[in-house]
Amino acid sequence: MGFLPGLVSTLLIEAGVDLDLPAIDINDPEHTAALFGNNPHRPGQRLYRSRDFGWWLPDGKVEFQGRRDTKVKIREFHIEIGKIENQLLRVAGARDGAVVTKNASSKNLVGF
């Protein structure tokens, strides 16, 4: 069974030794297990389930469509925006809060 061009799905990456995979939390084996699975097309090979969505283009390339979470990368740090928003809500008197990047190329977060 092949992939259909234009069908958005989770990007799966073959987990080879030459692939620079993200750091996995060794203290959370359930989370780690959820990110990796067996490759049904190549017995013995593992797949990494990324947090990205994409689709196949008719020319065979994959186009990025977005993320499954609200994590951003700023100065080599992966930051979960939702966790910062939750901390903002702990401020006395706060009823709502949001965190965004200042612009597409920003290396700063803005909370309000």
Side-chain angles (χ1 to χ4, degrees), residues 38-80:
N38 294 320
N39 185 339
H41 305 289
R42 294 187 184 190
Q45 294 290 321
R46 307 272 293 155
L47 290 175
Y48 168 69
R49 180 178 308 278
S50 75
R51 292 177 181 95
D52 300 326
F53 289 113
W55 61 20
W56 288 99
L57 297 173
D59 64 2
K61 295 179 182 175
V62 176
E63 182 176 80
F64 174 75
Q65 291 295 309
R67 287 193 57 87
R68 192 170 13 143
D69 57 21
T70 59
K71 191 177 288 187
V72 295
K73 187 174 181 180
I74 297 179
R75 293 187 210 98
E76 302 303 316
F77 293 97
H78 294 273
I79 300 167
E80 182 66 53

Side-chain angles (χ1 to χ4, degrees):
M1 180 169 143
F3 294 99
L4 300 174
L7 179 65
V8 176
S9 62
T10 299
L11 295 178
L12 301 172
I13 303 166
E14 190 168 273
V17 293
D18 296 334
L19 187 61
D20 182 22
L21 291 175
I24 302 300
D25 186 354
I26 60 173
N27 295 320
D28 191 351
E30 288 180 19
H31 180 250
T32 300
L35 294 177
F36 290 90
N38 294 320
N39 185 339
H41 305 289
R42 294 187 184 190
Q45 294 290 321
R46 307 272 293 155
L47 290 175
Y48 168 69
R49 180 178 308 278
S50 75
R51 292 177 181 95
D52 300 326
F53 289 113
W55 61 20
W56 288 99
L57 297 173
D59 64 2
K61 295 179 182 175
V62 176
E63 182 176 80
F64 174 75
Q65 291 295 309
R67 287 193 57 87
R68 192 170 13 143
D69 57 21
T70 59
K71 191 177 288 187
V72 295
K73 187 174 181 180
I74 297 179
R75 293 187 210 98
E76 302 303 316
F77 293 97
H78 294 273
I79 300 167
E80 182 66 53
I81 289 178
K83 289 182 179 181
I84 298 172
E85 290 172 339
N86 287 338
Q87 292 300 313
L88 285 175
L89 295 174
R90 299 174 116 197
V91 174
R95 291 184 292 150
D96 201 1
V99 175
V100 297
T101 56
K102 194 170 181 182
N103 57 46
S105 63
S106 177
K107 298 296 180 189
N108 298 303
L109 294 175
V110 177
F112 53 94

